[in-house]
Amino acid sequence: MTAEAFFLPAAAGARYCVFHPAAGACRGALLYVHPFAEEMHKSRRMAALAARALAASGIAVLQIDLHGCGDSSGEFADARWDAWKEDLAAGLAWLRERTGMAPGLWGLRLGALLALDYARGASEAPRRLLLWQPVLNGATFLTQFLRLRLAAAMLDGDTGRGGVAALRGALQAGETLEVAGYTLTPALAADLDGLDGAAPVRAGVPVHWFEVVADAQRLVPPAAATQSAHWRLQGTALQLQLVPGPSFWNTQEIAESAGLVAATVAACAEDGDAA
Amino acid sequence: MQLEEKALAFRCGEDHLYGVLSAPPCPAARGVLIVVGGPQYRAGSHRQFTLLARSLAAAGTPAMRFDYRGMGDSEGAPRDFTAVGDDLAAAIDHFFAVQPGLREVVLWGLCDAASAILFYAGADHRVAGIALLNPWARTEEGLARATLKHYYGRRLLAPEFWAKLARGRFDVAGSARSAWRMLAAAAGSPAPAASSLSERMREGLARFDGKVLLMLSGADLTAREFAGLAAGSPEWQDLLGAPRVTRQQLAGADHTCSRRVWQDQVAEWTSAWLRAW
């Protein structure tokens, strides 16, 4: 089946979408939530590969570019966390209408955190959550993003004086920063800083968590082990699966992980009514 | 300004390719096809191609960008920039199909997309101009020389630089090893040999008879290397010295022009050049 690309009308313009119809009878539907900034670009090929494989297995997939990202309307400087959640609501509504299925959310990195956060407050719970290498702490993630600016400054011969703390201070004082070519506003930085991925998962929503590791001998990363145990204790039906492969969202060259694609398709095939 | 964007899908052989057209309300007859190089898809590093397309369209030029087979949203197996002629031809065909009034195209590319454009442009009469930003003409020797001269030369011996990188958890040992390899490469080849890549690029430029815009970043090894290659060859100097070639130098800018002021400058130069002929 050929994917359909279109612009979905939304607040302040339109969102670029790619819809992958299910081959044969549709068994479920997923909305893909992309990661942040350059990670979205590096992982575009993997998202397309997995979306096509899911569609071939009977799971319809909608990819949506969030406001200010990819081919969607707006500047990155216009982006806000709550507006991104509205984009997810619009994407889910479209998917529900088109497929007649209750859609789930499939998120990569910060996209997984957005999916978790959206699910907590949504009027209608997503059918399930597929998390690829989820970011669980917004403040830590912001720190890592700001380090890109420090690294660039140092390569430029700058001292990088004050480090991340100085950059956070500038943001808190209302300054907009350019980080790795992206215009980071104080508003979006504050949004990210306040995110707590460890909060309870929306009740009744099953979670399939894929953690990418360098090789098959690796143990579950401690943070993932702690968090998944915590959520299970709170009653979430959660599967945590380690998949050896490249960190395709931040490799210099475009990387693919056939193992992660296969594991994701298999996870959706396992339970009967799938996504 | 009412700019319309259209999601595109078209065939290249058995595969579907995906792209976006940014169409102005009163489109010029000359459109720009943004060719995407390096490990990027059609939005470009830090969305530079999305923003460039919108900027060009705001100035009246229809702009299209797309993913090669195997990149971004497009189907098919990945391929490198030396094997994308069919993808470019299919994209240009589709550009003419979806943009009424289009008479000719300019191919715009960064890095190895600029090299791919040089290979392709002379063979397609619809291509009236080419805009090249930091063309990729990498050879081991040229890279080593450019790196030593323009980068490590300033900092390799500054201990505080390495200490700072170490605190930022950079791979200092790996960087030192790669610097050492570059020293060895530069020392081992007193005169850089012309590579088949740069020869093919030069032949492509000679074969193409349209307008050329060459933009080089001031703080980019790829640009330095291309400039060095051109300066060291009478044939390149003849080609680049011709009146049909417009050259621009972007002081301080990195390879992808990652600051907004640099991106805006590149878009302005492109629009001004498009208006000038």
Side-chain angles (χ1 to χ4, degrees):
Chain A
M1 294 290 282
T2 307
E4 303 163 19
F6 64 99
F7 280 95
L8 180 67
R15 305 294 173 268
Y16 180 84
C17 292
V18 186
F19 178 60
H20 303 261
C26 183
R27 298 187 296 112
L30 284 171
L31 178 66
Y32 172 70
V33 193
H34 64 69
F36 189 73
E38 216 58 12
E39 291 188 1
M40 173 209 185
H41 297 206
K42 293 293 169 137
S43 55
R44 191 85 191 181
R45 166 92 176 148
M46 263 300 282
L49 288 174
R52 287 197 280 266
L54 284 161
S57 80
I59 308 291
V61 175
L62 180 67
Q63 293 178 255
I64 186 167
D65 289 3
L66 301 170
H67 187 212
C69 301
D71 292 313
S72 284
S73 299
E75 302 267 352
F76 193 74
D78 303 329
R80 292 299 305 267
W81 189 258
D82 283 343
W84 283 349
K85 290 201 277 189
E86 286 169 28
D87 288 347
L88 297 195
L92 288 169
W94 187 93
L95 202 44
R96 201 177 291 117
E97 169 87 20
R98 171 68 185 255
T99 64
M101 294 278 170
L105 287 167
W106 155 38
L108 169 61
R109 299 274 295 147
L110 194 73
L113 182 47
L114 182 59
L116 282 161
D117 193 43
Y118 171 84
R120 278 181 206 114
S123 56
E124 194 171 335
R127 170 67 186 81
R128 69 184 297 164
L129 290 167
L130 282 184
L131 311 178
W132 272 10
Q133 201 78 7
V135 168
L136 292 173
N137 187 309
T140 306
F141 182 78
L142 178 64
T143 295
Q144 287 161 354
F145 188 62
L146 291 174
R147 279 196 191 127
L148 296 176
R149 180 173 155 122
L150 286 184
M154 284 190 279
L155 286 168
D156 243 6
D158 194 75
T159 60
R161 192 182 303 278
V164 168
L167 296 178
R168 279 176 181 278
L171 286 163
Q172 277 152 18
E175 197 179 321
T176 290
L177 299 179
E178 278 192 313
V179 183
Y182 290 86
T183 306
L184 180 66
T185 58
L188 184 61
D191 289 345
L192 295 178
D193 233 354
L195 295 171
D196 176 18
V201 177
R202 171 73 175 258
V205 178
V207 172
H208 208 122
W209 176 344
F210 298 89
E211 196 70 13
V212 173
V213 290
D215 58 68
Q217 275 69 51
R218 295 297 168 95
L219 301 172
V220 178
T226 308
Q227 187 57 59
S228 57
H230 193 61
W231 278 339
R232 281 194 189 110
L233 279 174
Q234 290 171 339
T236 297
L238 184 146
Q239 294 188 62
L240 174 61
Q241 191 171 346
L242 298 189
V243 184
S247 313
F248 56 87
W249 56 91
N250 66 10
T251 47
Q252 174 57 32
E253 297 301 320
I254 301 301
E256 298 174 8
S257 169
L260 182 58
V261 171
T264 304
V265 170
C268 290
E270 266 168 27
D271 31 30
D273 60 341
Chain B
M1 200 278 312
Q2 203 71 37
L3 157 69
E4 192 193 354
E5 295 201 302
K6 289 180 189 160
L8 308 175
F10 53 97
R11 296 279 291 262
C12 180
E14 293 304 302
D15 300 312
H16 287 88
L17 308 191
Y18 292 84
V20 172
L21 172 68
S22 302
C26 300
R30 180 186 298 148
V32 171
L33 180 71
I34 297 170
V35 182
V36 179
Q40 274 301 335
Y41 87 115
R42 62 180 184 275
S45 296
H46 41 81
R47 279 183 108 210
Q48 61 177 326
F49 302 143
T50 300
L51 300 178
L52 174 65
R54 288 177 186 169
S55 168
L56 293 172
T61 297
M64 172 177 161
R65 55 213 163 76
F66 76 108
D67 296 326
Y68 296 148
R69 279 174 290 177
M71 281 298 292
D73 293 334
S74 292
E75 297 172 350
R79 62 209 60 233
D80 90 349
F81 68 98
T82 60
V84 295
D86 290 346
D87 305 66
L88 289 172
I92 296 170
D93 289 348
H94 198 66
F95 200 176
F96 276 83
V98 293
Q99 180 59 61
L102 195 67
R103 279 207 309 271
E104 60 188 29
V105 294
V106 160
L107 303 182
W108 193 108
L110 160 67
C111 193
D112 59 28
S115 319
I117 286 169
L118 283 171
F119 299 161
Y120 179 86
D124 189 330
H125 67 276
R126 298 170 297 182
V127 181
I130 58 179
L132 314 173
L133 173 59
N134 301 330
W136 172 268
R138 183 141 295 177
T139 63
E140 283 243 348
E141 315 85 64
L143 171 66
R145 283 168 183 281
T147 305
L148 287 174
K149 192 168 165 200
H150 299 291
Y151 182 64
Y152 286 106
R154 278 187 287 152
R155 305 203 189 90
L156 191 60
L157 301 175
E160 65 271 24
F161 173 70
W162 294 104
K164 276 169 200 152
L165 281 182
R167 281 201 297 276
R169 295 186 194 162
F170 278 74
D171 178 10
V172 175
S175 301
R177 274 196 302 278
S178 86
W180 182 252
R181 276 200 300 274
M182 284 175 188
L183 281 165
S189 50
S195 74
S196 61
L197 171 60
S198 64
E199 274 169 26
R200 274 187 74 190
M201 289 166 67
R202 199 186 67 219
E203 287 161 12
L205 183 55
R207 201 163 53 239
F208 177 65
D209 58 5
K211 301 285 187 187
V212 180
L213 172 63
L214 174 64
M215 296 171 282
L216 298 179
S217 290
D220 171 39
L221 282 175
T222 301
R224 295 277 190 184
E225 202 185 342
F226 180 81
L229 175 87
S233 143
E235 294 95 334
W236 268 113
Q237 280 174 42
D238 277 356
L239 283 168
L240 294 176
R244 69 184 176 118
V245 177
T246 304
R247 287 182 75 150
Q248 299 286 6
Q249 179 84 18
L250 191 47
D254 59 13
H255 183 57
T256 65
C257 302
S258 72
R259 297 195 50 203
R260 192 53 186 262
V261 55
W262 296 330
Q263 287 182 45
D264 289 347
Q265 180 64 75
V266 163
E268 262 179 58
W269 278 336
T270 304
S271 274
W273 171 73
L274 286 167
R275 279 194 303 272
W277 51 283

